[in-house]
Amino acid sequence: MNNNETVAAYYEAHRGELVKLVAARNIGSMEAEDIVHDAFVRMLTSDRMITPATLPCLVHTVLRHLIADRFRHKAVENEYEHYIGGRAAAAASAESVYSAREITARMEHCLARLPENCRETYRLHIYGGMKAAEISSATGVGYRSVEHRLGIARKSVRKYLQVYCASAR
């Protein structure tokens, strides 16, 4: 019996009790089924040797880790929602809301002050969605040079937009 057959047999025999075990941790039944399913998918795709003797402990360990990951994810999600909610209330005034067109125009005004090579590299990154390695191969410029040019452009645009946004308040 190979790993996949061992894991599949264990899944068929113990799926119900494992779902109940996970659901008892204040997790809904649908999400508990997803967690159990994810645990077994991880084991099926694992290249480690799994024996019938080690499988129960492995299943419980993987489930414990997935449950912890779920709670960690929920905590970060709640913190982010709280942060966004506070920021949205603070930024509700009409003066603090900028249009995308206005920000793009300001960014282009800032880019016009940069050297040509930095300006073109930044445009390829922002408008073209290219990464540094892609820009390097497309333009024939070294990777480190592309990173350096992007750094200069980012710093300049960031500083310009911070000054502009502070003066607009």
Side-chain angles (χ1 to χ4, degrees):
M1 191 178 240
N2 67 16
N3 281 352
N4 290 348
E5 292 170 354
T6 304
V7 172
Y10 191 85
Y11 179 77
E12 289 176 17
H14 300 283
R15 187 191 65 78
E17 70 184 60
L18 293 171
V19 169
K20 288 179 187 176
L21 176 78
V22 174
R25 305 286 194 281
N26 291 332
I27 297 175
S29 63
M30 296 298 283
E31 198 166 356
E33 290 212 22
D34 288 344
I35 289 173
V36 170
H37 183 266
D38 289 345
F40 280 95
V41 167
R42 281 189 183 189
M43 285 182 276
L44 287 171
T45 57
S46 173
D47 57 348
R48 296 181 182 171
M49 188 175 83
I50 300 173
T51 65
T54 61
L55 185 58
C57 293
L58 179 62
V59 168
H60 287 277
T61 301
V62 171
L63 287 175
R64 187 177 73 238
H65 289 263
L66 288 174
I67 291 168
D69 288 348
R70 179 213 176 259
F71 282 122
R72 242 188 319 269
H73 176 76
K74 288 292 185 185
V76 169
E77 198 174 75
N78 289 339
E79 182 179 323
Y80 180 74
E81 286 175 358
H82 177 72
Y83 173 77
I84 292 298
R87 298 278 295 181
S93 65
E95 298 87 30
S96 66
V97 178
Y98 298 104
S99 71
R101 182 178 299 152
E102 184 179 353
I103 291 173
T104 303
R106 290 292 171 186
M107 189 171 69
E108 284 297 325
H109 179 32
C110 174
L111 287 177
R113 299 169 24 183
L114 289 173
E116 179 68 25
N117 57 5
C118 292
R119 183 172 46 239
E120 290 308 313
T121 301
Y122 192 73
R123 282 189 179 127
L124 287 172
H125 178 66
I126 295 297
Y127 301 128
M130 297 172 79
K131 296 182 178 167
E134 295 169 335
I135 295 170
S136 175
S137 64
T139 60
V141 176
Y143 179 80
R144 296 289 293 162
S145 295
V146 169
E147 281 187 330
H148 181 71
R149 292 173 184 177
L150 281 174
I152 291 170
R154 285 178 183 142
K155 187 184 292 184
S156 177
V157 169
R158 188 180 314 120
K159 184 176 180 182
Y160 182 80
L161 289 178
Q162 283 175 346
V163 169
Y164 171 73
C165 291
S167 68
R169 289 182 188 164

